[in-house]
């Protein structure tokens, strides 16, 4: 005779449904956040003060610039430059997206695709309209040389994605599985993890796929600085946020980070919100810094991008210091400790996303 089942041993359906609903909040918030961030940033790329120039000092050159300016309005920031050398210098300094050299038979647009391929496409469309009216083709000259494995310059963005995911997913593991460790040990583990993440990134982007074909050490150093800032921030936040850390890290380092990095569209093709974030967000600091190294000989604002990454590293250090103080005062013991199941769930959630 079989042993009768005890109905009290099984959880009530209502309790199970409530438990399921609570755990669905996080992925649904992630879905909402990703939809708002990605569609908000990328759904309608339009030029906003796209910086272009007409080369020449003749009345015709000034007249063309004025005509384009009046027709484009705020979409374009049109200027004139005296000569080709000045135009090329401003393109290498990333102060221009395109410089148009008028010519009755062979008009030319000088660009630097290493700055942003999508911005160059927008500038090319503007001056193609001009040359179409002349009935002559537009000749395009690129001052930068793309890497063998990255002809469009988009590969750096995917390197940014890999570094970001490796960094923020590691935070959940360090915070949950290493919860019993001291803050000092967790920080050392975070530094080691960020080193490994940066090495994986530069090895795959360099020797494997040739997205980075020179200055590997400099690009790797930027990657380690970038990854360390994310990891330290997450370790510090985990002491306060626990299971909400993964969602918070996704908001900071995926939803707002990827969309404002300039990897798909730079600020001149985005709305004001994401364009403003580009000026100080960590992903933009890394991506634009790497572009400056690879395509602009370490100039074009590299120092400012390094400062951005250092500031985010400082913020991560501040978060760690606050967490250490919080735990040192015994606050950690006042909060319910994570069960092994909760820790495992948090790690799986971070890695899956």
């Amino acid at each position: 005779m079989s042993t009768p089942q005890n109905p009290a041993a099984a959880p009530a359906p209502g309790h199970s449904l409530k438990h399921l609903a609570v755990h669905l909040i996080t992925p649904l918030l992630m879905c909402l956040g990703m939809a708002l961030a990605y569609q908000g940033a990328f759904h309608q790329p339009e030029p906003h003060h796209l910086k272009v120039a007409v080369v020449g000092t003749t009345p015709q050159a000034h007249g063309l610039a004025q005509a384009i300016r009046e027709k484009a309005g705020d979409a374009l920031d049109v200027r004139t430059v005296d000569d080709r050398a000045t135009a090329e210098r401003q393109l290498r300094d990333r102060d221009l997206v395109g410089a148009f050299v008028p010519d009755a038979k062979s008009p030319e647009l000088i660009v630097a695709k290493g700055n942003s391929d999508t911005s160059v496409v927008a500038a090319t469309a503007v001056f193609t309209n001009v040359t179409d009216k002349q009935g002559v083709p537009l000749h395009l000259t690129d001052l930068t040389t793309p890497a063998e494995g990255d002809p469009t310059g988009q590969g750096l963005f995917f390197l940014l994605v890999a570094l970001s995911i490796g960094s923020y997913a590691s935070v959940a593991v360090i915070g949950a599985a290493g919860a019993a460790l001291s803050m000092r040990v967790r920080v050392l583990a975070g530094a080691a993890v960020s080193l490994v993440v940066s090495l994986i990134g530069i090895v795959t982007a360099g020797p494997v796929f040739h997205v980075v074909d020179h200055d590997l050490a400099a690009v790797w150093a930027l990657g380690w600085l970038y990854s360390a800032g994310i990891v330290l921030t997450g370790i510090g936040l985990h002491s306060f946020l626990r299971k909400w850390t993964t969602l918070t890290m996704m908001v900071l380092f995926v939803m707002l980070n990827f969309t404002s990095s300039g990897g798909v569209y730079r600020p001149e093709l985005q709305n004001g919100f994401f364009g403003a974030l580009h000026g100080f967000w960590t992903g933009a600091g890394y991506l634009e810094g790497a572009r400056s190294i690879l395509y602009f000989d370490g100039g074009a604002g590299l120092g400012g991008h390094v400062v951005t990454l250092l500031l985010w590293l400082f913020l991560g250090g501040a978060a760690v210091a606050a967490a250490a103080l919080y735990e040192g005062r015994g606050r950690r013991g006042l909060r319910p400790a994570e069960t092994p199941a909760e820790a495992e769930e948090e790690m799986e959630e971070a890695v899956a996303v």
Side-chain angles (χ1 to χ4, degrees), residues 233-295:
T233 300
I235 290 173
L237 291 178
H238 190 273
S239 297
F240 302 99
L241 301 178
R242 295 296 183 90
K243 68 178 183 178
W244 297 106
T245 305
T246 297
L247 177 60
T248 303
M249 295 294 284
M250 281 199 67
V251 171
L252 292 175
F253 300 113
V254 176
M255 298 175 191
L256 299 179
N257 196 34
F258 294 170
T259 51
S260 65
S261 67
V264 179
Y265 300 119
R266 275 181 48 83
E268 57 264 18
L269 294 181
Q270 293 189 292
N271 60 50
F273 175 73
F274 292 99
L277 288 183
H278 182 271
F280 61 91
W281 218 255
T282 183
Y286 171 74
L287 187 66
E288 301 295 6
R291 282 173 170 165
S292 293
I293 291 171
L294 293 175
Y295 301 119

Short mmCIF file of all heavy atoms in Angstrom, two decimals, residues 233-295:
data_model
loop_
_atom_site.label_atom_id
_atom_site.label_comp_id
_atom_site.label_asym_id
_atom_site.label_seq_id
_atom_site.Cartn_x
_atom_site.Cartn_y
_atom_site.Cartn_z
N THR A 233 32.38 49.49 -8.72
CA THR A 233 31.06 50.08 -8.48
C THR A 233 30.06 49.01 -8.05
O THR A 233 29.30 49.19 -7.10
CB THR A 233 30.55 50.79 -9.74
OG1 THR A 233 31.47 51.82 -10.10
CG2 THR A 233 29.17 51.39 -9.52
N GLY A 234 30.07 47.88 -8.76
CA GLY A 234 29.13 46.81 -8.44
C GLY A 234 29.39 46.18 -7.08
O GLY A 234 28.44 45.87 -6.34
N ILE A 235 30.66 45.98 -6.73
CA ILE A 235 30.98 45.39 -5.43
C ILE A 235 30.48 46.31 -4.31
O ILE A 235 29.92 45.85 -3.31
CB ILE A 235 32.50 45.15 -5.31
CG1 ILE A 235 32.93 44.02 -6.23
CG2 ILE A 235 32.88 44.82 -3.86
CD1 ILE A 235 34.44 43.82 -6.30
N GLY A 236 30.68 47.61 -4.50
CA GLY A 236 30.20 48.54 -3.49
C GLY A 236 28.69 48.57 -3.39
O GLY A 236 28.12 48.53 -2.29
N LEU A 237 28.01 48.60 -4.53
CA LEU A 237 26.54 48.67 -4.52
C LEU A 237 25.91 47.40 -3.97
O LEU A 237 24.82 47.45 -3.38
CB LEU A 237 26.03 48.94 -5.94
CG LEU A 237 26.32 50.31 -6.52
CD1 LEU A 237 25.79 50.41 -7.94
CD2 LEU A 237 25.71 51.42 -5.65
N HIS A 238 26.57 46.26 -4.16
CA HIS A 238 25.97 45.00 -3.75
C HIS A 238 25.70 44.94 -2.25
O HIS A 238 24.73 44.32 -1.81
CB HIS A 238 26.86 43.82 -4.16
CG HIS A 238 26.20 42.49 -3.98
ND1 HIS A 238 26.25 41.79 -2.80
CD2 HIS A 238 25.47 41.73 -4.84
CE1 HIS A 238 25.58 40.65 -2.94
NE2 HIS A 238 25.10 40.60 -4.17
N SER A 239 26.53 45.60 -1.46
CA SER A 239 26.32 45.59 -0.01
C SER A 239 25.00 46.26 0.36
O SER A 239 24.41 45.93 1.40
CB SER A 239 27.47 46.31 0.69
OG SER A 239 28.69 45.64 0.48
N PHE A 240 24.53 47.17 -0.45
CA PHE A 240 23.30 47.90 -0.17
C PHE A 240 22.09 47.33 -0.92
O PHE A 240 20.98 47.29 -0.39
CB PHE A 240 23.46 49.37 -0.56
CG PHE A 240 24.59 50.07 0.13
CD1 PHE A 240 25.81 50.24 -0.51
CD2 PHE A 240 24.46 50.55 1.42
CE1 PHE A 240 26.87 50.88 0.11
CE2 PHE A 240 25.50 51.20 2.06
CZ PHE A 240 26.71 51.37 1.40
N LEU A 241 22.31 46.88 -2.15
CA LEU A 241 21.19 46.53 -3.02
C LEU A 241 20.89 45.04 -3.09
O LEU A 241 19.79 44.65 -3.49
CB LEU A 241 21.46 47.05 -4.44
CG LEU A 241 21.68 48.56 -4.56
CD1 LEU A 241 21.98 48.94 -6.00
CD2 LEU A 241 20.45 49.32 -4.07
N ARG A 242 21.86 44.21 -2.79
CA ARG A 242 21.73 42.76 -2.84
C ARG A 242 21.13 42.28 -4.16
O ARG A 242 21.72 42.47 -5.21
CB ARG A 242 20.89 42.26 -1.64
CG ARG A 242 21.53 42.50 -0.28
CD ARG A 242 22.83 41.72 -0.14
NE ARG A 242 23.41 41.88 1.17
CZ ARG A 242 23.14 41.10 2.21
NH1 ARG A 242 22.28 40.11 2.08
NH2 ARG A 242 23.71 41.32 3.37
N LYS A 243 19.95 41.70 -4.13
CA LYS A 243 19.40 41.07 -5.33
C LYS A 243 19.04 42.09 -6.42
O LYS A 243 18.82 41.71 -7.57
CB LYS A 243 18.17 40.23 -4.99
CG LYS A 243 16.96 41.03 -4.55
CD LYS A 243 15.77 40.11 -4.29
CE LYS A 243 14.53 40.91 -3.92
NZ LYS A 243 13.36 40.01 -3.72
N TRP A 244 18.97 43.37 -6.07
CA TRP A 244 18.67 44.39 -7.07
C TRP A 244 19.94 44.93 -7.73
O TRP A 244 19.86 45.82 -8.59
CB TRP A 244 17.90 45.55 -6.42
CG TRP A 244 16.57 45.13 -5.87
CD1 TRP A 244 16.24 44.96 -4.57
CD2 TRP A 244 15.42 44.77 -6.63
NE1 TRP A 244 14.93 44.55 -4.45
CE2 TRP A 244 14.41 44.42 -5.70
CE3 TRP A 244 15.12 44.72 -7.99
CZ2 TRP A 244 13.14 44.03 -6.10
CZ3 TRP A 244 13.85 44.33 -8.39
CH2 TRP A 244 12.88 43.99 -7.45
N THR A 245 21.08 44.38 -7.35
CA THR A 245 22.33 44.87 -7.92
C THR A 245 22.40 44.63 -9.42
O THR A 245 22.82 45.50 -10.19
CB THR A 245 23.54 44.18 -7.24
OG1 THR A 245 23.45 44.37 -5.82
CG2 THR A 245 24.85 44.77 -7.75
N THR A 246 22.00 43.44 -9.87
CA THR A 246 22.08 43.11 -11.30
C THR A 246 21.25 44.08 -12.14
O THR A 246 21.71 44.57 -13.17
CB THR A 246 21.62 41.67 -11.54
OG1 THR A 246 22.51 40.77 -10.87
CG2 THR A 246 21.63 41.35 -13.03
N LEU A 247 20.03 44.35 -11.69
CA LEU A 247 19.18 45.29 -12.43
C LEU A 247 19.81 46.68 -12.46
O LEU A 247 19.84 47.35 -13.51
CB LEU A 247 17.80 45.36 -11.80
CG LEU A 247 16.80 46.36 -12.42
CD1 LEU A 247 16.57 46.02 -13.89
CD2 LEU A 247 15.49 46.36 -11.65
N THR A 248 20.33 47.11 -11.31
CA THR A 248 20.98 48.43 -11.26
C THR A 248 22.18 48.49 -12.17
O THR A 248 22.40 49.49 -12.89
CB THR A 248 21.41 48.74 -9.81
OG1 THR A 248 20.27 48.67 -8.95
CG2 THR A 248 22.04 50.12 -9.72
N MET A 249 22.99 47.43 -12.18
CA MET A 249 24.17 47.40 -13.04
C MET A 249 23.78 47.41 -14.51
O MET A 249 24.46 48.01 -15.34
CB MET A 249 25.01 46.17 -12.72
CG MET A 249 25.62 46.15 -11.33
SD MET A 249 26.85 47.44 -11.08
CE MET A 249 28.23 46.74 -11.97
N MET A 250 22.68 46.75 -14.84
CA MET A 250 22.21 46.77 -16.22
C MET A 250 21.78 48.17 -16.64
O MET A 250 22.04 48.61 -17.76
CB MET A 250 21.06 45.79 -16.41
CG MET A 250 21.48 44.35 -16.56
SD MET A 250 20.18 43.37 -17.31
CE MET A 250 20.13 44.05 -18.96
N VAL A 251 21.11 48.87 -15.73
CA VAL A 251 20.69 50.24 -16.05
C VAL A 251 21.92 51.12 -16.29
O VAL A 251 22.00 51.86 -17.29
CB VAL A 251 19.84 50.83 -14.91
CG1 VAL A 251 19.59 52.31 -15.13
CG2 VAL A 251 18.51 50.08 -14.80
N LEU A 252 22.90 51.02 -15.40
CA LEU A 252 24.08 51.89 -15.48
C LEU A 252 25.01 51.53 -16.63
O LEU A 252 25.51 52.42 -17.33
CB LEU A 252 24.86 51.82 -14.16
CG LEU A 252 24.20 52.42 -12.92
CD1 LEU A 252 25.07 52.16 -11.70
CD2 LEU A 252 23.97 53.91 -13.10
N PHE A 253 25.23 50.22 -16.82
CA PHE A 253 26.32 49.81 -17.71
C PHE A 253 25.87 49.07 -18.96
O PHE A 253 26.70 48.61 -19.74
CB PHE A 253 27.33 48.97 -16.93
CG PHE A 253 27.92 49.73 -15.77
CD1 PHE A 253 27.66 49.35 -14.47
CD2 PHE A 253 28.69 50.85 -15.99
CE1 PHE A 253 28.19 50.07 -13.41
CE2 PHE A 253 29.22 51.58 -14.94
CZ PHE A 253 28.97 51.18 -13.64
N VAL A 254 24.56 48.97 -19.16
CA VAL A 254 24.03 48.45 -20.42
C VAL A 254 23.05 49.46 -21.01
O VAL A 254 23.31 50.04 -22.06
CB VAL A 254 23.35 47.08 -20.22
CG1 VAL A 254 22.72 46.60 -21.54
CG2 VAL A 254 24.35 46.05 -19.73
N MET A 255 21.94 49.68 -20.33
CA MET A 255 20.88 50.52 -20.89
C MET A 255 21.36 51.93 -21.21
O MET A 255 21.12 52.46 -22.30
CB MET A 255 19.70 50.56 -19.93
CG MET A 255 19.06 49.21 -19.68
SD MET A 255 17.76 49.33 -18.42
CE MET A 255 17.43 47.59 -18.10
N LEU A 256 22.01 52.56 -20.25
CA LEU A 256 22.49 53.93 -20.46
C LEU A 256 23.88 53.96 -21.08
O LEU A 256 24.23 54.93 -21.75
CB LEU A 256 22.51 54.69 -19.12
CG LEU A 256 21.16 54.86 -18.43
CD1 LEU A 256 21.34 55.61 -17.10
CD2 LEU A 256 20.16 55.59 -19.32
N ASN A 257 24.63 52.90 -20.87
CA ASN A 257 26.03 52.87 -21.28
C ASN A 257 26.21 52.58 -22.77
O ASN A 257 26.86 53.34 -23.49
CB ASN A 257 26.76 51.82 -20.45
CG ASN A 257 28.26 51.96 -20.51
OD1 ASN A 257 28.80 53.05 -20.60
ND2 ASN A 257 28.95 50.84 -20.47
N PHE A 258 25.63 51.49 -23.24
CA PHE A 258 25.79 51.13 -24.65
C PHE A 258 25.16 52.19 -25.56
O PHE A 258 25.69 52.53 -26.62
CB PHE A 258 25.13 49.78 -24.95
CG PHE A 258 25.80 48.62 -24.26
CD1 PHE A 258 25.20 47.37 -24.26
CD2 PHE A 258 27.01 48.76 -23.60
CE1 PHE A 258 25.80 46.28 -23.64
CE2 PHE A 258 27.63 47.68 -22.97
CZ PHE A 258 27.01 46.45 -22.98
N THR A 259 24.02 52.71 -25.13
CA THR A 259 23.27 53.63 -25.97
C THR A 259 23.94 55.00 -26.09
O THR A 259 23.71 55.73 -27.06
CB THR A 259 21.85 53.81 -25.41
OG1 THR A 259 21.94 54.13 -24.01
CG2 THR A 259 21.04 52.54 -25.58
N SER A 260 24.74 55.37 -25.10
CA SER A 260 25.38 56.69 -25.12
C SER A 260 26.86 56.61 -25.49
O SER A 260 27.54 57.64 -25.52
CB SER A 260 25.25 57.36 -23.74
OG SER A 260 25.96 56.63 -22.75
N SER A 261 27.36 55.42 -25.78
CA SER A 261 28.79 55.23 -26.01
C SER A 261 29.28 55.83 -27.33
O SER A 261 30.47 56.11 -27.49
CB SER A 261 29.14 53.74 -25.98
OG SER A 261 28.56 53.07 -27.09
N GLY A 262 28.38 56.00 -28.28
CA GLY A 262 28.79 56.46 -29.61
C GLY A 262 29.18 55.32 -30.52
O GLY A 262 29.63 55.56 -31.65
N GLY A 263 28.98 54.09 -30.08
CA GLY A 263 29.36 52.94 -30.89
C GLY A 263 28.47 52.74 -32.10
O GLY A 263 28.93 52.27 -33.15
N VAL A 264 27.20 53.06 -31.97
CA VAL A 264 26.27 52.96 -33.09
C VAL A 264 26.08 54.35 -33.70
O VAL A 264 26.32 54.56 -34.89
CB VAL A 264 24.92 52.37 -32.64
CG1 VAL A 264 23.96 52.30 -33.82
CG2 VAL A 264 25.13 50.97 -32.05
N TYR A 265 25.61 55.29 -32.89
CA TYR A 265 25.46 56.68 -33.33
C TYR A 265 26.14 57.59 -32.31
O TYR A 265 25.98 57.42 -31.11
CB TYR A 265 23.98 57.08 -33.43
CG TYR A 265 23.18 56.24 -34.38
CD1 TYR A 265 22.09 55.49 -33.94
CD2 TYR A 265 23.49 56.21 -35.74
CE1 TYR A 265 21.34 54.74 -34.82
CE2 TYR A 265 22.75 55.44 -36.62
CZ TYR A 265 21.67 54.70 -36.15
OH TYR A 265 20.94 53.94 -37.02
N ARG A 266 26.91 58.53 -32.82
CA ARG A 266 27.48 59.54 -31.94
C ARG A 266 26.43 60.60 -31.60
O ARG A 266 25.35 60.62 -32.17
CB ARG A 266 28.71 60.16 -32.62
CG ARG A 266 29.99 59.34 -32.40
CD ARG A 266 31.19 59.99 -33.07
NE ARG A 266 31.30 61.41 -32.78
CZ ARG A 266 31.85 61.92 -31.67
NH1 ARG A 266 32.36 61.10 -30.76
NH2 ARG A 266 31.91 63.22 -31.49
N PRO A 267 26.74 61.51 -30.66
CA PRO A 267 25.73 62.46 -30.19
C PRO A 267 25.06 63.27 -31.30
O PRO A 267 23.88 63.64 -31.17
CB PRO A 267 26.54 63.38 -29.27
CG PRO A 267 27.67 62.55 -28.80
CD PRO A 267 28.01 61.63 -29.93
N GLU A 268 25.79 63.55 -32.39
CA GLU A 268 25.21 64.38 -33.44
C GLU A 268 24.08 63.68 -34.19
O GLU A 268 23.38 64.31 -34.98
CB GLU A 268 26.28 64.82 -34.44
CG GLU A 268 27.03 63.68 -35.09
CD GLU A 268 28.34 63.37 -34.40
OE1 GLU A 268 28.51 63.78 -33.24
OE2 GLU A 268 29.21 62.71 -35.02
N LEU A 269 23.86 62.39 -33.92
CA LEU A 269 22.75 61.67 -34.54
C LEU A 269 21.74 61.17 -33.49
O LEU A 269 20.85 60.39 -33.82
CB LEU A 269 23.27 60.48 -35.36
CG LEU A 269 24.12 60.81 -36.59
CD1 LEU A 269 24.53 59.53 -37.30
CD2 LEU A 269 23.37 61.72 -37.56
N GLN A 270 21.89 61.61 -32.25
CA GLN A 270 21.00 61.16 -31.19
C GLN A 270 20.24 62.34 -30.58
O GLN A 270 20.56 63.51 -30.81
CB GLN A 270 21.80 60.45 -30.10
CG GLN A 270 22.41 59.13 -30.54
CD GLN A 270 23.00 58.37 -29.37
OE1 GLN A 270 23.98 58.79 -28.79
NE2 GLN A 270 22.39 57.24 -29.04
N ASN A 271 19.23 61.99 -29.76
CA ASN A 271 18.50 63.05 -29.07
C ASN A 271 19.37 63.61 -27.93
O ASN A 271 20.41 63.08 -27.59
CB ASN A 271 17.16 62.53 -28.53
CG ASN A 271 17.33 61.39 -27.54
OD1 ASN A 271 18.10 61.47 -26.60
ND2 ASN A 271 16.58 60.31 -27.75
N GLY A 272 18.90 64.69 -27.35
CA GLY A 272 19.71 65.41 -26.38
C GLY A 272 20.07 64.62 -25.15
O GLY A 272 21.17 64.80 -24.60
N PHE A 273 19.19 63.74 -24.68
CA PHE A 273 19.46 63.00 -23.45
C PHE A 273 20.68 62.09 -23.61
O PHE A 273 21.64 62.17 -22.84
CB PHE A 273 18.24 62.17 -23.06
CG PHE A 273 18.47 61.27 -21.87
CD1 PHE A 273 18.56 61.81 -20.60
CD2 PHE A 273 18.61 59.90 -22.03
CE1 PHE A 273 18.78 60.99 -19.49
CE2 PHE A 273 18.83 59.08 -20.94
CZ PHE A 273 18.91 59.63 -19.67
N PHE A 274 20.65 61.22 -24.62
CA PHE A 274 21.77 60.30 -24.81
C PHE A 274 23.00 61.03 -25.32
O PHE A 274 24.14 60.63 -25.01
CB PHE A 274 21.36 59.18 -25.76
CG PHE A 274 20.34 58.25 -25.18
CD1 PHE A 274 18.99 58.39 -25.49
CD2 PHE A 274 20.70 57.26 -24.29
CE1 PHE A 274 18.04 57.56 -24.93
CE2 PHE A 274 19.76 56.42 -23.72
CZ PHE A 274 18.42 56.57 -24.05
N GLY A 275 22.80 62.10 -26.07
CA GLY A 275 23.93 62.90 -26.49
C GLY A 275 24.64 63.54 -25.32
O GLY A 275 25.88 63.62 -25.29
N ALA A 276 23.88 63.97 -24.31
CA ALA A 276 24.48 64.56 -23.11
C ALA A 276 25.23 63.51 -22.30
O ALA A 276 26.33 63.77 -21.78
CB ALA A 276 23.40 65.23 -22.26
N LEU A 277 24.67 62.31 -22.18
CA LEU A 277 25.34 61.24 -21.44
C LEU A 277 26.70 60.91 -22.05
O LEU A 277 27.65 60.56 -21.34
CB LEU A 277 24.48 59.98 -21.41
CG LEU A 277 23.22 59.99 -20.54
CD1 LEU A 277 22.54 58.63 -20.61
CD2 LEU A 277 23.53 60.37 -19.11
N HIS A 278 26.78 61.03 -23.36
CA HIS A 278 28.02 60.69 -24.05
C HIS A 278 29.20 61.51 -23.53
O HIS A 278 30.34 61.06 -23.56
CB HIS A 278 27.84 60.93 -25.56
CG HIS A 278 29.04 60.57 -26.37
ND1 HIS A 278 30.06 61.48 -26.64
CD2 HIS A 278 29.41 59.42 -26.99
CE1 HIS A 278 30.99 60.90 -27.38
NE2 HIS A 278 30.62 59.66 -27.60
N GLY A 279 28.94 62.69 -23.02
CA GLY A 279 30.00 63.56 -22.58
C GLY A 279 30.73 63.09 -21.34
O GLY A 279 31.87 63.51 -21.10
N PHE A 280 30.08 62.21 -20.53
CA PHE A 280 30.74 61.82 -19.28
C PHE A 280 30.50 60.36 -18.88
O PHE A 280 30.99 59.92 -17.84
CB PHE A 280 30.27 62.74 -18.14
CG PHE A 280 28.79 62.67 -17.86
CD1 PHE A 280 28.27 61.77 -16.95
CD2 PHE A 280 27.91 63.50 -18.53
CE1 PHE A 280 26.91 61.71 -16.69
CE2 PHE A 280 26.54 63.46 -18.29
CZ PHE A 280 26.04 62.55 -17.36
N TRP A 281 29.77 59.59 -19.68
CA TRP A 281 29.50 58.20 -19.29
C TRP A 281 30.72 57.32 -19.61
O TRP A 281 31.47 57.58 -20.54
CB TRP A 281 28.25 57.68 -20.00
CG TRP A 281 27.44 56.78 -19.10
CD1 TRP A 281 27.33 55.43 -19.16
CD2 TRP A 281 26.60 57.20 -18.02
NE1 TRP A 281 26.49 54.97 -18.18
CE2 TRP A 281 26.02 56.04 -17.46
CE3 TRP A 281 26.29 58.44 -17.47
CZ2 TRP A 281 25.15 56.08 -16.37
CZ3 TRP A 281 25.42 58.48 -16.38
CH2 TRP A 281 24.86 57.32 -15.86
N THR A 282 30.88 56.27 -18.83
CA THR A 282 32.11 55.49 -18.89
C THR A 282 32.31 54.76 -20.22
O THR A 282 33.43 54.66 -20.72
CB THR A 282 32.17 54.50 -17.71
OG1 THR A 282 33.41 53.79 -17.75
CG2 THR A 282 31.01 53.51 -17.74
N GLY A 283 31.25 54.23 -20.81
CA GLY A 283 31.38 53.53 -22.09
C GLY A 283 31.88 54.45 -23.18
O GLY A 283 32.71 54.06 -24.01
N ALA A 284 31.40 55.69 -23.19
CA ALA A 284 31.87 56.67 -24.17
C ALA A 284 33.34 56.99 -23.93
O ALA A 284 34.12 57.16 -24.87
CB ALA A 284 31.03 57.94 -24.10
N GLY A 285 33.73 57.06 -22.65
CA GLY A 285 35.13 57.31 -22.33
C GLY A 285 36.04 56.23 -22.91
O GLY A 285 37.08 56.53 -23.50
N TYR A 286 35.61 54.96 -22.76
CA TYR A 286 36.43 53.87 -23.29
C TYR A 286 36.42 53.85 -24.81
O TYR A 286 37.47 53.79 -25.45
CB TYR A 286 35.93 52.52 -22.77
CG TYR A 286 36.62 51.37 -23.47
CD1 TYR A 286 37.94 51.07 -23.17
CD2 TYR A 286 35.99 50.65 -24.48
CE1 TYR A 286 38.61 50.06 -23.84
CE2 TYR A 286 36.65 49.65 -25.15
CZ TYR A 286 37.95 49.35 -24.83
OH TYR A 286 38.62 48.37 -25.52
N LEU A 287 35.24 53.90 -25.40
CA LEU A 287 35.14 53.75 -26.86
C LEU A 287 35.82 54.90 -27.60
O LEU A 287 36.58 54.68 -28.55
CB LEU A 287 33.67 53.66 -27.27
CG LEU A 287 33.40 53.33 -28.73
CD1 LEU A 287 33.89 51.93 -29.06
CD2 LEU A 287 31.92 53.44 -29.05
N GLU A 288 35.55 56.12 -27.16
CA GLU A 288 36.16 57.26 -27.83
C GLU A 288 37.67 57.32 -27.56
O GLU A 288 38.45 57.74 -28.42
CB GLU A 288 35.49 58.57 -27.40
CG GLU A 288 34.00 58.64 -27.69
CD GLU A 288 33.66 58.63 -29.17
OE1 GLU A 288 34.57 58.44 -30.01
OE2 GLU A 288 32.47 58.80 -29.51
N GLY A 289 38.08 56.87 -26.38
CA GLY A 289 39.51 56.79 -26.11
C GLY A 289 40.20 55.79 -27.01
O GLY A 289 41.29 56.06 -27.54
N ALA A 290 39.57 54.63 -27.20
CA ALA A 290 40.14 53.61 -28.09
C ALA A 290 40.19 54.12 -29.53
O ALA A 290 41.17 53.88 -30.25
CB ALA A 290 39.32 52.33 -28.01
N ARG A 291 39.15 54.84 -29.97
CA ARG A 291 39.17 55.42 -31.31
C ARG A 291 40.31 56.42 -31.46
O ARG A 291 41.00 56.46 -32.49
CB ARG A 291 37.84 56.11 -31.60
CG ARG A 291 36.69 55.17 -31.96
CD ARG A 291 35.40 55.93 -32.05
NE ARG A 291 34.32 55.11 -32.62
CZ ARG A 291 33.02 55.42 -32.56
NH1 ARG A 291 32.65 56.54 -31.96
NH2 ARG A 291 32.12 54.63 -33.11
N SER A 292 40.52 57.23 -30.43
CA SER A 292 41.60 58.22 -30.49
C SER A 292 42.96 57.54 -30.63
O SER A 292 43.82 58.01 -31.37
CB SER A 292 41.58 59.09 -29.23
OG SER A 292 40.41 59.89 -29.19
N ILE A 293 43.13 56.43 -29.95
CA ILE A 293 44.40 55.70 -30.02
C ILE A 293 44.58 55.05 -31.38
O ILE A 293 45.64 55.16 -32.01
CB ILE A 293 44.45 54.63 -28.91
CG1 ILE A 293 44.56 55.28 -27.53
CG2 ILE A 293 45.63 53.68 -29.13
CD1 ILE A 293 44.39 54.32 -26.39
N LEU A 294 43.55 54.39 -31.87
CA LEU A 294 43.68 53.58 -33.07
C LEU A 294 43.66 54.39 -34.36
O LEU A 294 44.34 54.04 -35.33
CB LEU A 294 42.56 52.53 -33.12
CG LEU A 294 42.62 51.45 -32.04
CD1 LEU A 294 41.38 50.56 -32.13
CD2 LEU A 294 43.88 50.62 -32.16
N TYR A 295 42.89 55.48 -34.38
CA TYR A 295 42.67 56.18 -35.65
C TYR A 295 43.20 57.61 -35.68
O TYR A 295 43.26 58.22 -36.74
CB TYR A 295 41.18 56.19 -35.98
CG TYR A 295 40.58 54.82 -36.11
CD1 TYR A 295 39.56 54.38 -35.26
CD2 TYR A 295 41.06 53.92 -37.07
CE1 TYR A 295 39.02 53.10 -35.38
CE2 TYR A 295 40.53 52.66 -37.19
CZ TYR A 295 39.51 52.24 -36.35
OH TYR A 295 39.00 50.98 -36.46
#
